[in-house]
Amino acid sequence: MNLEIHAIKIDIPQDCNVILGQTHFIKTAEDLYEVVATTVPQARFGIAFTEASGPCLIRTEGNDEELIRTCVRNLQAIGAGHVFCILLKDAYPINILNQIKNCPEVCRVFCATANPLQVIVASTSQGWGVLGVIDGYPPKGVETDDDRQQRRDFLRAVGYKR
């Protein structure tokens, strides 16, 4: 059996975040739509999901056509079944991540990020599968006391801490 490893660059439009995960059932796209729309109603978003059996189509939902198209292009590049891509604008993953994890079809979340993203996939004669992701860049050091205070101040400035 031949096995190849590939790094796939994910397109994340400006001012967007991506959530990438694995799921298992045709109703995923509609259920994820409901999660996003009811949790952060102001969000602009696209969703795409790849079937892994039957017609093996990329199923789509969302309220922003360009974000939907970008999700589709990302999943076409990944080429693996049972993967979902959500692109969010005017919302952040922290606002919906737990609800997504609690969606019955979701098996795992690989990442939620606005950083440059590569998906590591393996290919065999059967198809392609996601092994993991490379999210952002490697660490440059350990935070200092000043860095720690800046982090704490930032979280309070954006309202995530009191």
Side-chain angles (χ1 to χ4, degrees):
M1 176 184 316
N2 288 333
L3 174 70
E4 294 182 21
I5 306 295
H6 312 270
I8 309 299
K9 182 181 181 294
I10 298 302
D11 183 11
I12 305 172
Q14 186 172 344
D15 300 323
C16 285
N17 280 265
V18 65
I19 301 172
L20 192 72
Q22 188 170 27
T23 183
H24 73 92
F25 193 50
I26 192 172
K27 72 187 200 77
T28 297
E30 288 180 75
D31 286 357
L32 290 175
Y33 177 95
E34 291 171 1
V35 166
V36 178
T38 60
T39 307
V40 283
Q42 80 283 358
R44 305 298 306 155
F45 63 96
I47 297 170
F49 154 72
T50 55
E51 291 178 319
S53 61
C56 292
L57 299 175
I58 297 176
R59 306 293 183 164
T60 63
E61 293 289 342
N63 62 14
D64 184 300
E65 289 301 319
E66 185 54 36
L67 295 180
I68 293 169
R69 284 191 293 274
T70 304
C71 284
V72 167
R73 285 192 303 270
N74 285 334
L75 291 184
Q76 287 172 321
I78 293 169
H82 283 168
V83 175
F84 70 87
C85 178
I86 300 172
L87 284 169
L88 288 174
K89 191 170 194 164
D90 301 326
Y92 297 98
I94 194 170
N95 302 126
I96 63 169
L97 205 50
N98 281 335
Q99 291 85 339
I100 288 171
K101 291 176 192 176
N102 286 325
C103 181
E105 297 84 42
V106 172
C107 301
R108 70 184 306 176
V109 173
F110 294 114
C111 65
T113 190
N115 294 328
L117 180 65
Q118 294 177 327
V119 177
I120 307 305
V121 297
S123 64
T124 69
S125 59
Q126 179 176 316
W128 289 46
V130 176
L131 299 178
V133 298
I134 298 175
D135 181 350
Y137 305 105
K140 296 177 182 175
V142 178
E143 73 179 351
T144 64
D145 290 340
D146 286 342
D147 296 323
R148 182 177 298 109
Q149 189 59 51
Q150 288 175 10
R151 170 175 48 88
R152 291 174 176 166
D153 291 345
F154 170 76
L155 292 173
R156 281 148 185 83
V158 297
Y160 285 129
K161 297 287 183 177
R162 291 180 55 132

